[in-house]
Amino acid sequence: MSQETETFEIILGRVEHINASHFNCLSFAKASDMVNGINVRLSNMAGGYPFSFGGVTWHDSETLYLCGEFSDSSEKHLLVQEDMQRQTSGFAAKRFIKKRNSNLIRQDFADFRIQWMLYVVWQKCKGNADFANLLLKLPHDAIIIEDTTKQHGDTREVWGCTNTELAIRRAELKKKVTRQAKSDNPKISKAALKRIVNSETCKVNGIGTFVGQNNLGKILMICRDCLIQGVEPPIDYALLESKDIHIMGKRLTFPTNNTPMSNLHIVA
């Protein structure tokens, strides 16, 4: 990455230090975040983008990703996957099903989790035109960043980046906006207040440095660029093939060569 020339090289797994004043950073933390009037529902947890994979309809990409943690050929892993797939959201699958089965997670999952995430997000791009179009609506020069500053998990700087300075500035603005909104309308509802606060705080950008691997943000950029160029992402299919991944009772097989985008179908 060279900030002097304002270019950004996408390398999965590398820790980045992204100066927000040097780049067009498009950060998101939750499904309600707005950027330039666009609801950037890019989180894996975001609903509204169902897609089919393996003969099953998935509510969101988070659920399919989580199934990768429980993807050997055992009956126990199949039961966990079925429990996850029955949940109404990836949030529920993670909070209720993964948590109580954490002792069963594949010990080698960290070896292929980044490539598995790239594969899963690409399935969502191919299987849901609304999500693909959302990525295409975003500025093509934008560095997409999952802002995980407020998260506490041990993978927050694996999938996203933290930016404490930005968080502090937005927190200060949140207090001011909240006071003003309540002064203007003492009976304002919590939902309305939340919308106003979110709208105003999301306008604060270009501050601080984002630190982390930002692998989800990079994966979204890879998928965006591939949609624009009409090509497949550089997924390490050999690695995924070697991991003997089973989803919903079926062993996944992966191509040895990438299929040209022209031979693929984006589901409308």
Side-chain angles (χ1 to χ4, degrees), residues 142-159:
I143 297 179
I144 302 173
I145 299 170
E146 183 182 19
D147 186 346
T148 54
T149 307
K150 294 184 179 181
Q151 294 184 20
H152 303 289
D154 57 3
T155 62
R156 69 175 188 162
E157 290 192 2
V158 171
W159 298 116

Side-chain angles (χ1 to χ4, degrees), residues 18 38 53 67 88 95 113 115 153 177 193 208 225 253 266:
I18 307 169
I38 300 174
F53 176 78
C67 283
T88 57
R95 181 174 182 180
R113 63 184 176 186
Q115 291 298 315
V177 172
L193 178 61
D225 293 347
T253 57
I266 304 297

Side-chain angles (χ1 to χ4, degrees), residues 128-167:
N128 190 288
D130 288 339
F131 185 75
N133 288 333
L134 172 60
L135 283 179
L136 291 172
K137 284 181 183 177
L138 303 178
H140 295 174
D141 69 334
I143 297 179
I144 302 173
I145 299 170
E146 183 182 19
D147 186 346
T148 54
T149 307
K150 294 184 179 181
Q151 294 184 20
H152 303 289
D154 57 3
T155 62
R156 69 175 188 162
E157 290 192 2
V158 171
W159 298 116
C161 285
T162 58
N163 184 338
T164 303
E165 187 177 347
L166 176 63

Side-chain angles (χ1 to χ4, degrees), residues 35 48-49 122 132 150 179 257:
V35 176
Y49 303 118
W122 184 240
K150 294 184 179 181
R179 284 197 300 269
N257 296 305

